[in-house]
Structures are given as C-alpha cells and as structure tokens.
Amino acid sequence: MNIIIPLLGIAVVLLLAYLVSNNKKQIKYKPIIVMLVLQIILTFILLNTGIGLFIIEGISALFTKLLEYAASGINFVFGGIANAEEMPFFLNVLLPIVFISALIGIAQHIKLLPLIIKYLGLVLSKINGMGKLESYNAVASAIFGQSEVFISVKKQLGYLPDHRLYTLCTSAMSTVSASILGAYMTMIDPKFVIVALVLNLFGGFIIVNLINPYEVTDEEDFVQVQEGEKQTFFEMLGEYIMDGFKVAIIVGAMLIGFVALIAAINDLFSIIFGITFQTMLGYVFAPFAFMIGVPAAEVVQAGTIMATKLVSNEFVAMLDLSKMTELSERTTAIISVFLVSFANFSSIGIITGAVKGLHEQKGNVVARFGMKLLYGATLVSFLSAAIVGLLI
C-alpha cells in the first residue's frame, strides 16, 4: 500500500495538470517521462544510499557551519535579550538570512553564480524539452528568489508571449530562494529541504509541460540577462546585507500577521462551529494527504499543515509541523517536502508585483492567470511529496 497509493497519487496529480492543459495535442510526453524517472532515481539516491547520505550530510554540515558563523554576528548585536523560556525565532531562524544573502552576493560578484546558473540551465534545457530562458529561470529562481529573478531577465519581459511568462512564474513559485534555506533547515530536517529542491526543479517542468505545452523556435531560444550596475566589492556587500535584512523583516512581519490572524479565526470558528478553522481545512485536504502517501490515521493533521501553507506561507506551516511531534517519520517526511516551496496565495501578489514593477502590461497578464499559476505550483508540491511517499 505504501507504494500503490503514492503511485496513484502521482497519476492523479498528472491527470489534474492534464485536465487544465492549454493544448493537449502539443504535450511532449518523452521529457515528462524522463524527468519523472530522474526524480525517482535522484530521490532514491538521496534518501536510500550511502552516497546520498554523504551528500546530504555534507550539505547539512555546510549550512550548520554557516548558521554558526551567522550566530556569531547575531549574538554580538542581540546577545542577552532573548527570553530563555521561548525560542527567539527572529534571531535564530530569520536573521541568519542576512549572512546567507551576503555570501550569495559574493558568489554573484566573483561570477561564480552566473556560471553555475548558465551551465545548469543549459543541461536542464536538454532534458525538459523547453527553452534556454525557461531553464535559466528555474535555476536562477532557486538562487535569487521568486521576485528578484525577474530583474535578471528584465530585458526580455516585454517581448515574452503569455505562455512563456506563465512558465517563468510557475518556476519561481515552485522553488525557494537560497538565502532562506538555512532558515528552513532549522525548522525541518535538512535532508528533506535538499530533496525538495531537486524534486521541485524537475517537477515544475513536468507540470508546465502538461498545463502549458508549447514549442520555442530557434529565434526565440536565447537568454538576455540584465547586468546590474558596476559596483565595488563593498558596495555590493552592503547592498546584499541590507537585502537580506529586508527579507528577514518582511518574513517576520508576515509571520506576526498570519499567526495572529489564524489564531483569531480559529477562535471565531471554535465559538461558532465548535471546530477550529485549521482543523476544518485539515478535513478538506485530508484526501490529498492520503493520496500522496500519508497514513490514514494522520491525514487530518497532515491536511491541516498543507492547508495552512497554502492560505498563509511555508514558515507558519513549518512552525505547526515542528509542534506535531506525534506524527510518524513517514508523514513528517512527506509533509516536509510538500512545504518547501513558495506556492501560496500571498505569492500571487508577490510575483505579480515584481513583474508589474518591471513591466506593467506583463504584470497585468500575471494577475489574470494568478490562480492557474498557484494551481500549477501547488501540483508541483504534491508531485514532489508523492514521490517521497513512494520511496520513503
């Protein structure tokens, strides 16, 4: 049953994508099959082999060390003010983003990141059956984040047809930015963060190939990256440090608002209906949780976390997951992978705003397909979780 149900779940996810396809006749099935097989092979290697364990432990140890470095700066500024009885979430989870952002800036400044993005994108374009721009964007989104990535392709935005823009936006919403990986790894098992990154990269193209199939001509198949202003090393470093701090503040503010709002709505629903809002959503999402391999006894709890992520964000859902210590390892693994993406309602506004700030007309286009964008990105999360359910 642990194999059959997730297999059926994968089939249902693919069917749900197929049903809303723009052009069913143009779907390219070969790259879809190839990427599905690659997802299964890579997940098996990462979760079930000595080599995979070595890779995950190495990456996890690297981020642990980076978080230790970040802590030295945080403790210098904020040491002594944390409440000993409460986890200082802002200090321990969010502020390390500042240091990680600085490292990303350095890698960008010395031209290491552009090299990685270029060649990873080139390899991806040979596998996914789509254009070089789509492949570049998928890798760049995982480095820069769902809004910042559009700045790098600003020169091409005005010339992109709507179907290619949908693909870029789905990739951006399906991934997460490198600057907040360390924050995720303090909340859920690092190995599931790494596995989710790999799965979502391919999963985004699988779902888009079904929902939004198209051909890219040789004339269209190029990448024109927007070069930033020439900066000295310390100008760049200061900018990336401030950008990281802004991200930490924004995430912190969103958490304050969402956690407080959900608490208020839960109380209101309890008074009126005798059941909390999150529990009600858990029943709605329970069939989907069962479909991706969550044991039947835990589907309501798992569904609650999945729904929380969709209506708020992944941080709120990860906080809830960390409190549910009674969940089985299998459920924790599946749901952890599901949570590692930006697929939620607030991301529609974030991506629309990012594109609109660069090109107003294209921003309006994104706003029109916002719900379909969230639909596709959420299916990517379900697909990744189902594959882990198949192999865990």
Side-chain angles (χ1 to χ4, degrees), residues 177-204:
S177 59
S179 63
I180 61 174
L181 291 184
Y184 291 159
M185 289 180 181
T186 64
M187 303 171 73
I188 60 176
D189 194 322
K191 70 181 178 184
F192 299 128
V193 178
I194 297 162
V195 169
L197 285 176
V198 174
L199 288 174
N200 290 349
L201 190 62
F202 290 106

Side-chain angles (χ1 to χ4, degrees), residues 3 26 76 94 108 112 114 129 161 163 167 203 212 236 308 322 326 328 344 356 358 384:
I3 294 176
Q26 206 170 9
F76 178 79
L94 297 184
Q108 176 79 351
L112 176 61
H163 55 269
T167 297
N212 187 42
M236 172 280 303
T308 299
S322 66
E326 74 281 4
S328 65
N344 57 63
K356 197 163 188 171
L358 300 169
S384 297

Side-chain angles (χ1 to χ4, degrees), residues 64-129:
T64 299
K65 183 58 68 174
L66 293 179
L67 291 173
E68 287 176 8
Y69 294 145
S72 62
I74 295 166
N75 290 337
F76 178 79
V77 176
F78 292 103
I81 70 170
N83 184 346
E85 296 178 1
E86 295 287 343
M87 175 187 175
F89 184 88
F90 183 75
L91 303 185
N92 289 1
V93 177
L94 297 184
L95 278 189
I97 293 173
V98 177
F99 177 60
I100 304 296
S101 180
L103 293 181
I104 291 172
I106 293 170
Q108 176 79 351
H109 190 75
I110 64 175
K111 307 298 183 184
L112 176 61
L113 271 187
L115 197 67
I116 293 171
I117 292 170
K118 176 183 176 181
Y119 287 104
L120 268 180
L122 190 62
V123 171
L124 266 180
S125 67
K126 303 295 183 184
I127 297 171
N128 59 33

Side-chain angles (χ1 to χ4, degrees), residues 35-173:
M35 287 187 286
L36 268 174
V37 171
L38 275 174
Q39 281 186 309
I40 292 170
I41 291 172
L42 291 172
T43 304
F44 179 81
I45 290 172
L46 288 171
L47 292 180
N48 298 294
T49 69
I51 294 173
L53 184 64
F54 176 78
I55 293 170
I56 284 175
E57 286 181 346
I59 297 173
S60 177
L62 171 63
F63 272 92
T64 299
K65 183 58 68 174
L66 293 179
L67 291 173
E68 287 176 8
Y69 294 145
S72 62
I74 295 166
N75 290 337
F76 178 79
V77 176
F78 292 103
I81 70 170
N83 184 346
E85 296 178 1
E86 295 287 343
M87 175 187 175
F89 184 88
F90 183 75
L91 303 185
N92 289 1
V93 177
L94 297 184
L95 278 189
I97 293 173
V98 177
F99 177 60
I100 304 296
S101 180
L103 293 181
I104 291 172
I106 293 170
Q108 176 79 351
H109 190 75
I110 64 175
K111 307 298 183 184
L112 176 61
L113 271 187
L115 197 67
I116 293 171
I117 292 170
K118 176 183 176 181
Y119 287 104
L120 268 180
L122 190 62
V123 171
L124 266 180
S125 67
K126 303 295 183 184
I127 297 171
N128 59 33
M130 308 196 87
K132 292 175 184 174
L133 176 63
E134 287 82 351
S135 301
Y136 162 86
N137 183 81
V139 180
S141 295
I143 303 294
F144 300 129
Q146 65 178 338
S147 54
E148 294 85 350
V149 69
F150 292 104
I151 298 172
S152 68
V153 294
K154 177 181 177 180
K155 291 181 180 180
Q156 283 180 263
L157 274 181
Y159 306 100
L160 286 178
D162 294 355
H163 55 269
R164 294 191 78 186
L165 185 60
Y166 177 85
T167 297
L168 300 194
C169 293
T170 302
S171 292
M173 193 183 281

Side-chain angles (χ1 to χ4, degrees), residues 243-317:
D243 285 345
F245 187 70
K246 288 174 188 174
V247 171
I249 293 293
I250 290 168
V251 172
M254 290 181 69
L255 284 172
I256 291 170
F258 276 119
V259 170
L261 190 60
I262 288 173
I265 294 172
N266 277 339
D267 272 356
L268 185 63
F269 269 67
S270 292
I271 293 168
I272 298 172
F273 303 109
I275 185 174
T276 68
F277 175 66
Q278 284 180 286
T279 303
M280 183 191 74
L281 288 178
Y283 283 105
V284 173
F285 272 74
F288 297 100
F290 182 74
M291 179 185 76
I292 58 177
V294 173
E298 298 175 331
V299 292
V300 174
Q301 290 168 293
T304 299
I305 298 168
M306 291 160 62
T308 299
K309 185 243 186 176
L310 185 64
V311 300
S312 57
N313 61 45
E314 69 280 7
F315 279 103
V316 178

